[in-house]
Amino acid sequence: DIVMTQSPDSLAVSLGERATINCKSSQSVLYSSNNKNYLAWYQQKPGQPPKLLIYWASTRESGVPDRFSGSGSGTDFTLTISSLQAEDVAVYYCQQYYSTPEAFGPGTKVDIK
Amino acid sequence: EVQLVESGGGLVQPGRSLRLSCAASGFTFDDYAMHWVRQAPGKGLEWVSGISWNSGSIGYADSVKGRFTISRDNAKNSLYLQMNSLRAEDTALYYCAKDSGQWLHTPFDYWGQGTLVTVSS
């Protein structure tokens, strides 16, 4: 099974500043036949279900602000919020959908400093 | 508008069974794979099970394999999770999630609000 890890567990960033979250998979989630990384990022605000932000490691879901960006390949990935807004306070999860079980990372809590 | 409405949660004793349902609307249900994802109180997300559009491909987390069974009824636009031999550690909010593709191995683009399962004597 592929195990997902995230760092840091939590971070506090000033409004307008950059937030960076890292995600690592125990095996590569890059599928060589289509050169796609089977990696997604979700945002979960308190009391709400998760929301898809980024898929294929770097493709923004429709309607997601462009301050959110994803990067990385193989086993190492990053979610960047370029200019943190108050509404971005949430827990962020990465997920691999390369193989079952389609595991999530443990989450990173983002707060305002 | 895509809607996923879970039901069937509640308080159940250890060792007993429960069946969750997810009613889907706003999209062509039999075109997409579906999943169950759970979240224990104050904890992270755990993928539980997924099923392809035609039930031809099914997967389970090791923690529920042999105890839980996922199924779907495309005529009723519904997803199910039969949970047997429930344990205290199965206590969680159970989400129904829509896959963005027909088979497993694509991201989850819509989620329901969840139904709470509490396993306790």
Side-chain angles (χ1 to χ4, degrees):
Chain A
D1 295 356
I2 298 176
V3 177
M4 307 300 290
T5 57
Q6 289 182 231
S7 64
D9 295 336
S10 63
L11 74 161
V13 175
S14 300
L15 288 172
E17 295 300 304
R18 179 186 299 263
T20 301
I21 301 169
N22 300 301
C23 172
K24 191 174 183 69
S25 58
S26 60
Q27 303 170 38
S28 176
V29 298
L30 174 63
Y31 190 37
S32 56
S33 67
N34 59 12
N35 202 36
K36 287 186 172 183
N37 287 283
Y38 284 54
L39 190 285
W41 290 95
Y42 298 85
Q43 175 193 63
Q44 188 178 31
K45 297 181 179 180
Q48 296 185 18
K51 172 188 173 184
L52 177 64
L53 291 179
I54 302 280
Y55 56 97
W56 303 127
S58 61
T59 302
R60 247 186 326 270
E61 174 71 332
S62 176
V64 172
D66 60 7
R67 63 180 179 273
F68 291 92
S69 63
S71 63
S73 184
T75 61
D76 292 278
F77 302 90
T78 300
L79 175 70
T80 301
I81 309 173
S82 61
S83 176
L84 191 75
Q85 305 300 302
E87 60 265 32
D88 301 335
V89 169
V91 179
Y92 293 84
Y93 297 91
C94 61
Q95 182 213 16
Q96 68 82 15
Y97 46 93
Y98 182 90
S99 64
T100 53
E102 300 188 8
F104 292 88
T108 295
K109 186 175 182 181
V110 174
D111 270 320
I112 305 295
K113 185 187 292 183
Chain B
E1 179 194 3
V2 172
Q3 286 201 334
L4 300 169
V5 180
E6 302 93 337
S7 61
L11 174 63
V12 61
Q13 293 179 327
R16 304 297 291 262
S17 298
L18 209 57
R19 189 195 197 205
L20 305 184
S21 299
C22 171
S25 61
F27 65 101
T28 305
F29 183 72
D30 56 10
D31 274 351
Y32 296 95
M34 297 292 295
H35 301 264
W36 289 100
V37 177
R38 69 184 180 184
Q39 187 167 36
K43 302 297 184 181
L45 302 171
E46 180 187 14
W47 179 83
V48 173
S49 183
I51 185 168
S52 65
W53 68 282
N54 64 353
S55 304
S57 182
I58 287 175
Y60 296 99
D62 288 345
S63 58
V64 306
K65 202 172 293 183
R67 299 188 299 123
F68 289 11
T69 302
I70 192 171
S71 62
R72 63 189 296 160
D73 185 336
N74 287 343
K76 295 183 177 180
N77 290 347
S78 293
L79 176 71
Y80 306 102
L81 186 68
Q82 177 67 42
M83 305 186 296
N84 298 333
S85 303
L86 282 162
R87 306 167 179 167
E89 54 265 36
D90 295 319
T91 294
L93 186 64
Y94 283 74
Y95 292 106
C96 167
K98 172 187 169 291
D99 200 295
S100 54
Q102 285 190 316
W103 302 98
L104 306 182
H105 312 306
T106 33
F108 308 164
D109 54 1
Y110 289 93
W111 298 63
Q113 293 295 316
T115 186
L116 182 63
V117 173
T118 303
V119 184
S120 174
S121 54

